[in-house]
């Protein structure tokens, strides 16, 4: 049988493992981060070839390491067995497919196993656009709040309506119609930009993204501060957008404001990368920049208000390898309450400056 992972395929890219000795996370913590991400079929068995592609397929083998205990971002890439070859299906986005391939290759190398057979196939733009065509909401200038922690931001007694791979709840804040939108799968990197573009097509007036960022500034303890801003470095170019929050969020206590860097993968954020960015930039994550670009192109307001979840410049007990610890969860719950207060205050402070009503 002809292998599905033929190395002659010109569309395949080899995923080279990173050098853990140069990463901003310690070796032990980096390995722990990888272990909670890598599909169990890769951890349990050896394969002649592993290929990561874009494809949202819940009929394939689901990883037993998928997250539980929350409503959203619980699904991880699935896997399909073809003899001695494994096809891993990540939600279609160029950044996410590359990121997950790097995760696999680095995990294998760090555990003393061959990694040179890990490849990935970047999805075409039409593939991940079509994957988000299933997102279908009736919007009329609504504020859409998307991202992380939504089950705590939205009303506890509200009803979550289900769609394929997502759920939403309608509500009102300070007299403004609001839709909370969460995804079961990851909207990593450029996928998040496509989400904003799709929401604008559906009639969203403003989009607010709530999530987590890493700090590039020494001394900023994780899970004690919020981050906001209106500019990101995206593929080497600074991009600014019409900020939903204006100056309001940055003026609130416990909020850091600064320039953001969009990075396609945590695996690429080594100490050399940090040295190049730490003097000028405050935060890093994969999604904010692509979302801001999409909002600017669509002519809608966009804002982010994130928990600072880790610090690349200073080692703290809390980082991306232990996010499920009870102390981390408690601290973030306090910050989510603060995020709700700030969003509500922004709407109440200057409703005339924020979109609403028919478009």
């Amino acid at each position: 049988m002809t292998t599905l992972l033929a190395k002659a395929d010109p569309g395949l890219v080899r995923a080279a493992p990173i050098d853990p000795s140069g990463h901003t996370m310690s070796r032990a913590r980096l390995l722990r981060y990888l272990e909670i991400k890598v599909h169990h079929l890769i951890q349990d068995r050896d394969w002649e070839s592993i290929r990561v592609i874009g494809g949202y397929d819940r009929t394939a083998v689901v990883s037993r390491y998928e997250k539980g205990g929350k409503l959203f971002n619980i699904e991880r890439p699935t896997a399909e067995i073809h003899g001695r070859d494994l096809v891993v299906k990540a939600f279609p986005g160029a950044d996410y497919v590359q990121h997950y391939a790097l995760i696999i290759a680095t995990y294998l190398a760090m555990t003393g196993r061959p990694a040179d057979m890990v490849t990935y196939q970047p999805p075409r733009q039409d593939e991940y656009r079509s994957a988000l065509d299933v997102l279908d909401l009736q919007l009329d200038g609504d504020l859409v709040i998307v991202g992380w922690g939504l089950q705590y931001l939205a009303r506890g007694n509200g009803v979550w309506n289900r769609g394929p791979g997502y759920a939403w709840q309608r509500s009102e804040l300070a007299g403004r119609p609001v839709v909370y939108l969460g995804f079961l799968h990851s909207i990593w990197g450029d996928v998040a930009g496509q989400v904003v573009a799709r929401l604008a097509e559906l009639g969203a007036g403003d989009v607010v993204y709530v999530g987590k960022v890493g700090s590039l500034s020494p001394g900023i303890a994780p899970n004690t501060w919020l981050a906001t801003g209106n500019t990101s470095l995206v593929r080497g170019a600074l991009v600014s957008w019409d900020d939903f929050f204006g100056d309001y969020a940055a003026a609130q206590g416990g909020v850091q404001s600064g320039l953001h860097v969009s990075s396609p993968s945590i695996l690429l954020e080594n100490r050399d990368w940090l040295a190049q960015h730490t003097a000028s930039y405050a935060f890093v994550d994969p999604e904010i920049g692509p979302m801001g670009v999409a909002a600017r192109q669509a002519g809608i307001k966009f804002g982010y208000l994130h928990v600072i979840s880790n610090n690349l410049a200073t080692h703290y007990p809390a980082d991306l390898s232990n996010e499920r610890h009870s102390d981390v969860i408690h601290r973030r719950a306090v910050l989510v309450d603060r995020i709700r207060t700030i969003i509500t205050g922004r709407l109440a402070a200057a409703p005339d400056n924020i979109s609403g009503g028919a478009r």
Side-chain angles (χ1 to χ4, degrees):
M1 182 177 72
T2 302
T3 178
L4 293 178
L5 310 182
K7 293 180 181 176
D9 188 334
L12 292 182
V13 181
R14 180 174 174 267
I18 69 151
D19 178 5
S21 67
H23 200 265
T24 51
M25 295 175 69
S26 70
R27 183 183 180 89
R29 292 191 177 193
L30 177 61
L31 181 58
R32 175 56 185 154
Y33 171 80
L34 300 174
E35 287 172 339
I36 62 179
K37 304 292 184 183
V38 174
H39 197 288
H40 72 269
L41 288 176
I42 298 170
Q43 299 197 40
D44 294 350
R45 296 171 56 179
D46 292 327
W47 303 92
E48 289 185 5
S49 58
I50 301 173
R51 176 183 181 184
V52 184
I53 66 171
Y56 182 52
D57 183 4
R58 298 299 293 174
T59 67
V61 180
V62 173
S63 174
R64 67 168 176 257
Y65 300 123
E66 287 196 344
K67 292 183 178 180
K70 58 180 187 175
L71 290 178
F72 302 113
N73 193 23
I74 58 176
E75 298 176 350
R76 292 294 175 260
T78 55
E80 194 171 79
I81 300 172
H82 296 269
R84 297 291 301 149
D85 299 326
L86 191 70
V87 176
V88 178
K89 297 183 173 182
F91 192 87
D95 293 338
Y96 194 40
V97 168
Q98 178 193 18
H99 171 63
Y100 201 73
L102 290 174
I103 282 176
I104 295 170
T106 303
Y107 167 80
L108 291 174
M110 290 185 70
T111 54
R113 296 159 65 185
D116 59 353
M117 77 311 192
V118 180
T119 58
Y120 64 96
Q121 185 169 5
R124 301 186 310 271
Q125 185 174 10
D126 63 298
E127 289 178 318
Y128 53 87
R129 275 309 305 259
S130 62
L132 289 171
D133 284 345
V134 298
L135 180 58
D136 188 16
L137 302 172
Q138 299 297 317
L139 303 174
D140 186 18
D142 304 82
L143 165 62
V144 181
I145 301 176
V146 63
W148 167 85
L150 298 178
Q151 63 266 45
Y152 307 110
L153 288 173
R155 293 180 303 167
N157 61 351
V159 176
W160 289 102
N161 304 284
R162 298 283 175 177
Y166 66 94
W168 78 99
Q169 183 181 140
R170 292 189 179 276
S171 187
E172 187 175 284
L173 284 177
R176 173 78 187 278
V178 173
V179 173
Y180 298 95
L181 171 64
F183 291 87
L184 276 65
H185 53 78
S186 176
I187 55 168
W188 188 277
D190 53 333
V191 174
Q194 295 294 334
V195 168
V196 171
R198 177 61 176 160
L199 290 172
E201 290 175 356
L202 294 170
D206 310 291
V207 175
V208 166
Y209 178 40
V210 175
K212 298 171 287 183
V213 293
S215 173
L216 306 185
S217 304
I220 304 297
N223 307 308
T224 59
W225 290 86
L226 299 175
T228 195
N230 73 337
T231 303
S232 178
L233 183 69
V234 185
R235 297 180 179 87
L238 281 175
V239 179
S240 299
W241 53 85
D242 192 0
D243 189 7
F244 168 84
F245 290 105
D247 297 327
Y248 183 83
Q252 306 305 305
V255 180
Q256 295 276 330
S257 179
L259 294 178
H260 172 271
V261 182
S262 293
S263 170
S265 175
I266 293 164
L267 277 296
L268 300 176
E269 297 162 13
N270 58 26
R271 286 195 286 272
D272 288 341
W273 180 95
L274 178 63
Q276 294 170 13
H277 295 91
T278 188
S280 302
Y281 300 94
F283 317 122
V284 61
D285 95 323
E287 292 87 34
I288 289 169
M291 296 176 91
V293 169
R296 178 173 174 169
Q297 292 173 344
I300 65 174
K301 290 180 183 290
F302 168 69
Y304 73 90
L305 192 55
H306 280 32
V307 169
I308 296 178
S309 58
N310 57 298
N311 191 308
L312 283 71
T314 307
H315 286 167
Y316 285 93
D319 61 16
L320 298 179
S321 71
N322 53 21
E323 293 187 293
R324 303 177 195 181
H325 286 189
S326 59
D327 180 64
V328 172
I329 293 171
H330 171 73
R331 288 177 179 273
R332 290 182 180 177
V334 173
L335 292 174
V336 169
D337 285 341
R338 184 70 179 139
I339 289 171
R340 183 193 304 108
T341 299
I342 292 173
I343 294 174
T344 304
R346 173 64 179 121
L347 290 169
D352 292 340
N353 295 329
I354 302 176
S355 306
R359 289 167 58 83

